[in-house]
Amino acid sequence: MVNVAITVSLAVVSLCTLFCCGSCNGSRNKRILMSDPDYVQQQMTHLQSELQTLQATVQLQNGKISSLEQQLSQANQNRGGVTFVRWGRTDCPANLTELVYSGYTGGSWWDHPGAAADYVCLPRDSVWGPYKDLPNDDYSGRMYGTEYESDNPASPFGLKSQNEEAPCAVCRSTSFVSSVMIPARTECYSGWMKAYSGSLASGYYNHKAASQYVCVDEHAQPLDGGADSNDDGKLLFAVKAKCGSLRCPPYEEDKYLSCVVCMK
């Protein structure tokens, strides 16, 4: 718009020069004869043509600006973000993220040697595919729910959480583009924003099935209606530090490890 304004201003200056003190046919000293109707008409026609050209230029520039504004708006709507799972909760950190969905923490059976290692967040509103009702056979993986496990009534997962089923929430933020789970800390490093903190969890060290480390929220919840029955499935145990190849200090023998999820 600045270039268009400059162009229009120059046209106005040219118009003023033409009728006030301008030159004709290259002569610096010859004045325009205002009484010559043919000459005046010729110049008016010329100026009208230039004005139309300027108007077309302005419309073109306005169209380009409008297109750029639309592209910018679309880019803001479609900009990237970061997602992470908040284990042990059905909600996401307030003011930082939005809830994609909440559901049930799932995984493989704790004692199966061929178990999948990872924990997954299963949605509450499953949508079955076309192969749901195929005849059953034994050549398949298995998906189970997940329970908190602890011999201590005051476990890191909450009072009397033993055998309670664990929820989960998938969270997204459009203000950040990276996330990381840091074990053994409750605070993020400089330049990172804390999403949530809690207790480091995994499967039991002496079970057959592999597992992974996840961060269970410090205010972990049980699933509603989970009852107190011991259904097993995928299990969550708090993780303790073991000295030796792990440096002590700073770590301490048999102390429960914390964790934090950070965004940037």
Side-chain angles (χ1 to χ4, degrees), residues 65-75:
I65 291 173
S66 177
S67 177
L68 289 173
E69 289 175 342
Q70 292 176 1
Q71 293 177 29
L72 179 60
S73 176
Q74 188 69 26

Side-chain angles (χ1 to χ4, degrees), residues 17-236:
T17 303
L18 179 63
F19 286 102
C20 298
C21 58
S23 61
C24 179
N25 296 327
S27 175
R28 295 175 57 91
N29 301 318
K30 186 176 180 180
R31 297 285 182 173
I32 297 174
L33 298 178
M34 300 300 294
S35 60
D36 185 346
D38 293 336
Y39 180 81
V40 173
Q41 182 62 43
Q42 179 183 3
Q43 294 303 314
M44 289 297 295
T45 302
H46 176 70
L47 289 173
Q48 287 175 350
S49 176
E50 288 190 347
L51 181 59
Q52 290 174 354
T53 300
L54 287 172
Q55 289 174 336
T57 301
V58 170
Q59 291 177 355
L60 178 62
Q61 294 297 330
N62 286 339
K64 290 181 178 180
I65 291 173
S66 177
S67 177
L68 289 173
E69 289 175 342
Q70 292 176 1
Q71 293 177 29
L72 179 60
S73 176
Q74 188 69 26
N76 287 332
Q77 293 176 5
N78 297 333
R79 61 185 177 179
V82 61
T83 59
F84 61 87
V85 180
R86 190 183 191 187
W87 302 104
R89 297 285 298 189
T90 60
D91 57 346
C92 293
N95 302 324
L96 292 176
T97 58
E98 62 184 11
L99 179 68
V100 179
Y101 69 90
S102 65
Y104 318 121
T105 302
S108 293
W109 189 267
W110 62 272
D111 199 40
H112 287 170
D118 56 331
Y119 297 88
V120 296
C121 189
L122 296 165
R124 299 172 185 266
D125 51 347
S126 57
V127 178
W128 296 99
Y131 305 112
K132 172 188 175 184
D133 296 321
L134 281 180
N136 188 29
D137 62 63
D138 196 43
Y139 290 94
S140 61
R142 297 288 188 267
M143 180 67 72
Y144 299 89
T146 302
E147 293 182 344
Y148 300 118
E149 296 291 333
S150 175
D151 291 333
N152 187 344
S155 98
F157 309 131
L159 186 64
K160 297 181 179 180
S161 60
Q162 174 72 10
N163 295 329
E164 292 284 1
E165 296 163 3
C168 55
V170 176
C171 307
R172 177 177 183 263
S173 171
T174 57
S175 300
F176 304 90
V177 296
S178 300
S179 68
V180 61
M181 189 275 282
I182 305 175
R185 283 186 66 88
T186 59
E187 298 296 333
C188 300
Y189 290 106
S190 177
W192 290 79
M193 176 67 69
K194 178 177 175 179
Y196 76 94
S197 60
S199 297
L200 194 66
S202 72
Y204 185 59
Y205 77 93
N206 204 27
H207 285 168
K208 293 179 182 178
S211 66
Q212 63 178 165
Y213 295 112
V214 295
C215 189
V216 175
D217 194 89
E218 62 180 325
H219 302 296
Q221 302 168 321
L223 276 172
D224 294 338
D228 295 323
S229 61
N230 183 15
D231 297 318
D232 283 336
K234 189 76 169 174
L235 305 178
L236 283 166

